[in-house]
Amino acid sequence: MGLVALVACVGALLVYDVGRAPEATQAFAEPVRNATIVIEEGGARKGFSTPEVTVSGGGVVTVVNLDSMDHTVTSVANGPDGLPVFDVRIAAGTTATVPGIDALAPGEWAFYCKFHPSMRGDINVVGGGGGVEPERPTFEQPLVVPRTETGAHIRLVMKRALVRTRPDGPRTSMWTYDGTYPGPTIRRRGGRGTEVTVVNRLPKGAGAMSTHLHGDHHASADDGQPTTYLIEPGSSRAYDYPLTVAGRPEPGSFFWYHDHRMDRTARNNWRGLQGMFIVTDPPLPGLRLPTGARDVPLMVSERSFTADNQLTDPFAGGPEMVGHHGQMAWTGPKAPPDDATVGDTVLVNGREAPYLQVSATRYRLRLLNSSPFSSYNFTLSDGRPFLQIGTGSGLLPKAVVRTGVLLGPAQRADVIVDFSGATGRNLVLESVPAEPGYTGDNARQASVMEFRVGASAPDPSRLPSRLPSPKLVSPVPSKVSKTWTFGLAGDDHASFWSINGKAFDPDRVDHRSRLGTVERWRFRNTSQVTHYVHIHNEQWRTVLRDGKRPPPWERGLEDTWRLDPGEVVEVAGRFTDYTGAFMIHCHMLDHEDHGMMARFDVVR
Ligand code: C2O
Ligand code: CU
């Protein structure tokens, strides 16, 4: 039978060849119908090996992943459902077909990898093709600014609640601080002690929780760490935040609070346990920043939803924890480095694609990226600049004009936008990939929210140049007292994210620092992906980025740094006020949950 088929086939080929005149071959040359996208070893850094492919309508696009990491081929354009027109995950060492290509209208369809957004390319659809065109983003619901709490004693009840996230359809069941996502925004003057009591009324199966006030300086027992001082189901814990540093008021900052439970931080944050905390300065003479309704905190985060608007569970079927040469490690399809929790839908203050009506005046926007994994490079659609006046940890010494503000998980930026001259226009806050040639994990593509600019209005604010920024630690020690190396460890069977070769062990002290001293620390990234390094307890200054003075927006106080593959960053900080255990970790939450955390103790 095989022989018959073969003969028939050869016969057909012969007939086809003979029947085809040379001119006809030219005139009716069929373009290559199918196309192949190849990812070679090291794709996260090198990009797609075939960034431009051409497919004729009805053809098939195959992705061959020869790398040791999972990747996706995801369209930049969204369809009518607000989701990428095509999106496929290709496991390490496998092949997949890009779905829906035959439906696409002819043209260039940009794509990228959701896990490593600097991997980018274009699928060129020629000939035939279908009728699917990219949708223009729409902004259908107003931005919601979370309720503000200003008292000295604040009570937050963690509970399940139905919250509005998407413009239509059912509300989303989430785990909340006090019934909303994000939880209430706490706003307190520096130096005014604040006690926040967190009550755990989450469903029993959620387990014990731990609330960390990210960026703040407070005692180890009030730090909300992974395994100690937990909030058991049905119980509560009072966290004491003096909002002081070495006896003085903490400088005005943009902090946030979130769950920090061992192995469960990614899940608990995804479910909704996140809120903002603003520390304010007393009125500073000569500084006239936008205030009131023109001071807008924006928590940007991403999630994926089911068709009835419920959160997907990307953690189900997650990696399994195993022992590996005396350490914890993970095994299974989502083990490191394939543990990337990316959401399809970007939320601002908990809502998908919101709009904000603004007057044609200056606004202060406090941008926070609370996503588990993704970075955003924020831009405004008309190229209008941001004037960055602060990090999350205080004002910068000097305001910086930027058209793109790249923020990784847990990073914040305090910016002023002047909407004057835009009356009647709608400006979109977007995330676009950073400049070509940028080697780290780039920012994802997204239309984040819209500003609808109305008439101009009286505006008492002024753009500051010099800023009354908090003092930086000085002098900086010339000697590095600790190097933290961020890497991937283990083997094909079991892997973990590591710091100095080890997975996190809450009972192991990885470094000791003496109270009252200044230390200089060095971070190195030996892995193939970017990490975002966060240090608890103190505010630090960035001394060097790759041997050079850091860029102007990194010259203030910081608690979270981008660390690209191969990069070396040095920071300096002073240990004041508190002894005890604190954490240093990657703030990509799956990395944190899968080993990339260490403990340092401040000792007398
Ligand atoms: Cu924002 Cu250790 O965390
Ligand atoms: Cu990381």
Side-chain angles (χ1 to χ4, degrees):
M1 215 178 96
L3 186 66
V4 173
L6 183 65
V7 169
C9 180
V10 169
L13 273 176
L14 283 174
V15 169
Y16 180 70
D17 255 352
V18 169
R20 205 171 180 183
E23 313 87 85
T25 310
Q26 288 235 311
F28 302 105
E30 284 223 19
V32 183
R33 251 178 106 68
N34 299 335
T36 307
I37 297 170
V38 180
I39 305 163
E40 280 162 24
E41 182 66 44
R45 300 196 62 182
K46 291 193 290 200
F48 292 102
S49 305
T50 49
E52 304 280 338
V53 299
T54 299
V55 61
S56 70
V60 173
V61 178
T62 306
V63 193
V64 179
N65 183 4
L66 303 171
D67 194 15
S68 50
M69 282 189 215
D70 292 8
H71 297 285
T72 77
V73 167
T74 305
S75 69
V76 166
N78 286 338
D81 53 0
L83 298 179
V85 175
F86 54 84
D87 183 17
V88 62
R89 179 177 184 143
I90 314 99
T94 69
T95 294
T97 300
V98 183
I101 291 291
D102 51 347
L104 301 183
E108 258 192 17
W109 293 82
F111 65 87
Y112 70 112
C113 169
K114 290 197 291 190
F115 306 145
H116 315 98
S118 35
M119 302 176 65
R120 309 185 69 83
D122 288 300
I123 297 177
N124 215 345
V125 179
V126 297
V132 171
E133 301 271 1
E135 286 288 308
R136 284 175 60 90
T138 56
F139 301 88
E140 290 164 30
Q141 45 181 349
L143 178 84
V144 175
V145 176
R147 183 181 98 231
T148 303
E149 291 283 349
T150 56
H153 299 273
I154 294 164
R155 194 177 139 92
L156 299 177
V157 179
M158 289 187 285
K159 58 185 173 197
R160 184 160 62 188
L162 288 174
V163 297
R164 166 70 47 210
T165 52
R166 314 203 70 191
D168 316 294
R171 288 177 299 165
T172 306
S173 170
M174 294 183 81
W175 294 352
T176 68
Y177 284 111
D178 235 43
T180 61
Y181 173 71
T185 298
I186 300 172
R187 200 181 256 267
R188 292 284 292 165
R189 176 76 57 87
R192 298 197 177 152
T194 306
E195 186 191 67
V196 178
T197 302
V198 184
V199 186
N200 185 351
R201 293 223 189 95
L202 290 165
K204 278 259 158 19
M209 295 288 152
S210 186
T211 300
H212 172 59
L213 179 51
H214 180 120
D216 184 51
H217 179 62
H218 45 241
S220 173
D222 293 299
D223 196 34
Q225 294 181 5
T227 59
T228 51
Y229 304 104
L230 303 178
I231 320 169
E232 298 294 338
S235 76
S236 70
R237 168 161 300 281
Y239 294 94
D240 185 21
Y241 306 128
L243 306 187
T244 56
V245 181
R248 312 181 59 134
E250 219 163 40
S253 329
F254 182 29
F255 297 151
W256 62 300
Y257 58 94
H258 61 81
D259 180 75
H260 212 303
R261 182 72 177 105
M262 183 80 176
D263 303 327
R264 293 277 177 264
T265 298
R267 180 199 68 175
N268 295 350
N269 278 262
W270 178 266
R271 302 289 307 176
L273 295 173
Q274 304 184 317
M276 297 180 273
F277 193 123
I278 295 170
V279 178
T280 57
D281 282 316
L284 299 165
L287 194 63
R288 291 150 71 189
L289 301 175
T291 57
R294 295 185 194 160
D295 173 358
V296 190
L298 298 172
M299 177 192 278
V300 182
S301 204
E302 58 187 45
R303 301 290 184 273
S304 294
F305 295 94
T306 61
D308 59 349
N309 291 357
Q310 300 312 302
L311 292 172
T312 61
D313 185 0
F315 310 102
E320 206 186 309
M321 205 190 283
V322 293
H324 183 76
H325 306 304
Q327 310 226 31
M328 286 332 286
W330 283 263
T331 190
K334 289 184 202 161
D338 296 319
D339 49 348
T341 304
V342 172
D344 293 324
T345 304
V346 177
L347 307 177
V348 186
N349 293 349
R351 302 277 179 124
E352 176 182 359
Y355 64 85
L356 178 67
Q357 193 74 50
V358 293
S359 52
T361 59
R362 286 177 279 276
Y363 280 72
R364 179 180 190 174
L365 306 178
R366 301 177 193 249
L367 299 165
L368 155 66
N369 177 358
S370 73
S371 288
F373 182 88
S374 295
S375 306
Y376 305 99
N377 182 37
F378 292 107
T379 60
L380 287 161
S381 53
D382 69 345
R384 192 169 291 254
F386 303 98
L387 184 73
Q388 187 174 354
I389 58 170
T391 63
S393 309
L395 296 170
L396 286 166
K398 209 167 171 274
V400 193
V401 178
R402 305 179 74 184
T403 49
V405 175
L406 176 63
L407 295 181
Q411 290 192 307
R412 294 90 71 207
D414 193 347
V415 302
I416 295 176
V417 173
D418 191 341
F419 292 108
S420 58
T423 298
R425 298 220 304 272
N426 297 338
L427 307 188
V428 180
L429 178 69
E430 298 176 314
S431 169
V432 299
E435 316 74 59
Y438 179 79
T439 53
D441 280 351
N442 212 324
R444 63 169 290 168
Q445 183 89 36
S447 298
V448 176
M449 68 172 287
E450 185 178 64
F451 295 100
R452 300 185 177 169
V453 187
S456 61
D459 185 358
S461 77
R462 287 291 173 273
L463 295 178
S465 166
R466 293 274 156 198
L467 292 158
S469 61
K471 275 233 318 273
L472 301 178
V473 32
S474 103
V476 173
S478 54
K479 200 172 132 279
V480 171
S481 48
K482 181 68 185 174
T483 296
W484 303 96
T485 300
F486 294 78
L488 179 68
D491 52 34
D492 282 353
H493 164 67
S495 54
F496 57 94
W497 291 108
S498 66
I499 300 182
N500 296 342
K502 295 178 189 148
F504 178 57
D505 176 350
D507 298 321
R508 186 188 65 225
V509 182
D510 297 295
H511 180 67
R512 286 188 174 80
S513 302
R514 202 160 292 283
L515 189 68
T517 63
V518 175
E519 289 197 22
R520 176 171 178 154
W521 288 0
R522 174 184 288 153
F523 313 139
R524 296 166 60 223
N525 181 354
T526 54
S527 77
Q528 293 202 31
V529 298
T530 296
H531 299 287
Y532 283 88
V533 178
H534 170 50
I535 312 177
H536 288 209
N537 184 27
E538 304 297 349
Q539 297 296 347
W540 297 69
R541 81 183 276 179
T542 314
V543 180
L544 292 174
R545 176 171 283 283
D546 297 319
K548 295 195 217 71
R549 188 175 181 208
W553 55 87
E554 227 175 17
R555 292 183 193 163
L557 294 174
E558 287 281 358
D559 57 54
T560 311
W561 295 262
R562 192 187 83 239
L563 189 65
D564 285 338
E567 274 202 311
V568 180
V569 170
E570 290 182 17
V571 302
R574 184 190 306 277
F575 298 94
T576 60
D577 300 318
Y578 306 112
T579 55
F582 294 97
M583 306 291 134
I584 173 172
H585 62 88
C586 177
H587 219 290
M588 296 155 94
L589 300 180
D590 304 282
H591 295 183
E592 173 184 340
D593 281 344
H594 299 150
M596 200 171 252
M597 178 147 59
R599 166 179 166 180
F600 65 94
D601 281 19
V602 181
V603 298
R604 269 189 210 286

